[in-house]
């Protein structure tokens, strides 16, 4: 067996960029981190975290958190957990949690793949969202795309039977790549009536970035697969 020192490093699907943190985000990080951010080194029971046993949906890479906060506000009977590596986005979401008075949303500021593999129990999630992940459009960078067969194997294990994986992208090549990978997973079934892409469901808010792209004629592709 390879030792930790000699084992090959996993190729990450993101690059950490600190970015500029606004005074409001900095204040939210200082005041609300301990309340709403989960420890990436500690085991977690969502029933204990939220104080209730309810369906739990996980979003990977929530960006500035606006769509995730909207979904949590629209579905108070569902628990939401967001994962994001960039602190400005975490700070912005903490601001929204305070402004909207949300109690059904928690955050991991860490690598999503590590959280899934180490901390999320098998057969525990109602849904997993992956909206507008970095498409790594250059061919030499395709190996960095998060949607790969090994990632989808992990996704399947974490979903409850009947749970769903929902990905959305505005890059057609990435949509085709995801469709190929998801179709190859025997434990998933495509919910699309046409066998490829779905109409955007009402629960997924349209972001400002997405609206701008749609006005410019850019396409958006939604893929929703159900665990058998």
């Amino acid at each position: 067996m390879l030792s930790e020192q000699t084992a090959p490093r996993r190729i990450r699907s993101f690059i950490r960029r600190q970015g500029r943190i606004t005074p409001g985000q900095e204040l939210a990080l200082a005041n609300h981190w301990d309340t709403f951010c989960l420890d990436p080194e500690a085991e977690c029971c969502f029933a204990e975290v939220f104080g209730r046993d309810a369906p739990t949906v996980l979003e990977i890479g929530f960006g500035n958190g606006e769509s995730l906060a909207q979904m949590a506000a629209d579905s108070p009977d569902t628990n939401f957990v967001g994962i994001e590596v960039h602190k400005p986005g975490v700070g912005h979401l903490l601001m929204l949690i305070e402004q909207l008075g949300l109690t059904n949303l928690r955050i991991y500021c860490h690598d999503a793949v590590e959280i899934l593999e180490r901390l999320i129990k098998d057969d525990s999630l109602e849904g997993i969202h992956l909206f507008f992940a970095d498409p790594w459009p250059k061919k030499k960078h395709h190996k960095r795309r998060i949607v790969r067969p090994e990632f989808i194997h992990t996704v399947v294990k974490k979903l409850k039977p009947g749970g769903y994986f929902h990905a959305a992208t505005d890059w057609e090549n990435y949509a085709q790549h995801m469709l190929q990978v998801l179709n190859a997973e025997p434990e998933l079934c495509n919910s699309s009536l046409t066998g490829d892409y779905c109409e955007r469901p009402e629960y997924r808010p349209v972001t400002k970035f997405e609206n701008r792209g749609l006005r410019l004629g850019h396409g958006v592709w939604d893929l929703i697969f159900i665990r058998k």
Side-chain angles (χ1 to χ4, degrees):
M1 293 180 61
L2 293 173
S3 68
E4 290 187 3
Q5 287 75 22
T6 59
R9 294 181 61 186
R10 177 170 59 83
I11 298 173
R12 297 187 185 277
S13 61
F14 62 89
I15 296 174
R16 287 189 184 273
R17 301 182 182 93
Q18 180 57 43
R20 189 179 72 86
I21 298 178
T22 67
Q25 292 167 358
E26 192 71 56
L27 186 63
L29 288 165
N31 290 343
H32 303 301
W33 180 279
D34 290 341
T35 303
F36 295 104
C37 292
L38 303 174
D39 184 352
E41 301 301 328
E43 292 187 6
C44 177
C45 172
F46 291 135
E48 293 179 1
V49 166
F50 291 99
R52 63 180 185 174
D53 190 7
T56 301
V57 172
L58 178 76
E59 179 166 346
I60 296 171
F62 57 73
N64 67 10
E66 290 188 359
S67 63
L68 178 54
Q70 185 63 58
M71 285 186 287
D74 290 343
S75 301
D77 294 330
T78 299
N79 297 333
F80 288 87
V81 179
I83 307 178
E84 177 58 60
V85 295
H86 301 298
K87 275 198 172 180
V90 173
H92 189 74
L93 181 54
L94 288 171
M95 292 172 59
L96 295 174
I97 289 173
E98 180 184 25
Q99 291 168 10
L100 298 173
L102 300 176
T103 60
N104 61 331
L105 178 53
R106 297 294 186 274
I107 301 169
Y108 281 109
C109 184
H110 199 73
D111 180 348
V113 174
E114 291 184 6
I115 295 297
L116 273 177
E117 292 175 345
R118 296 191 294 105
L119 299 183
I120 306 300
K121 295 179 180 178
D122 291 353
D123 307 311
S124 65
L125 296 175
E126 190 74 21
I128 297 177
H129 297 165
L130 180 73
F131 298 152
F132 304 101
D134 194 329
W136 294 101
K138 293 182 180 179
K139 188 173 182 179
K140 66 179 180 179
H141 292 153
H142 284 185
K143 61 187 177 183
R144 287 186 173 273
R145 290 174 168 177
I146 190 171
V147 176
R148 301 189 293 267
E150 58 271 24
F151 170 74
I152 297 302
H153 294 333
T154 301
V155 163
V156 168
K157 289 194 299 182
K158 306 308 173 180
L159 289 173
K160 294 179 177 180
Y164 68 95
F165 174 68
H166 180 184
T169 182
D170 57 348
W171 284 79
E172 186 173 13
N173 176 266
Y174 197 15
Q176 293 168 346
H177 166 83
M178 289 193 287
L179 183 62
Q180 181 180 17
V181 172
L182 291 164
N183 276 334
E185 172 50 60
E187 295 301 315
L188 290 176
C189 178
N190 194 344
S191 68
S192 168
L193 297 177
T194 55
D196 46 18
Y197 308 109
C198 299
E199 293 292 326
R200 179 185 63 83
E202 289 186 1
Y203 66 76
R204 183 176 76 75
V206 180
T207 66
K208 294 178 182 177
F209 172 82
E210 184 179 356
N211 262 327
R212 184 168 65 250
L214 291 171
R215 287 195 300 269
L216 293 172
H218 300 170
V220 175
W221 293 266
D222 284 78
L223 303 94
I224 305 175
F225 278 69
I226 311 299
R227 181 184 169 184
K228 298 177 182 177

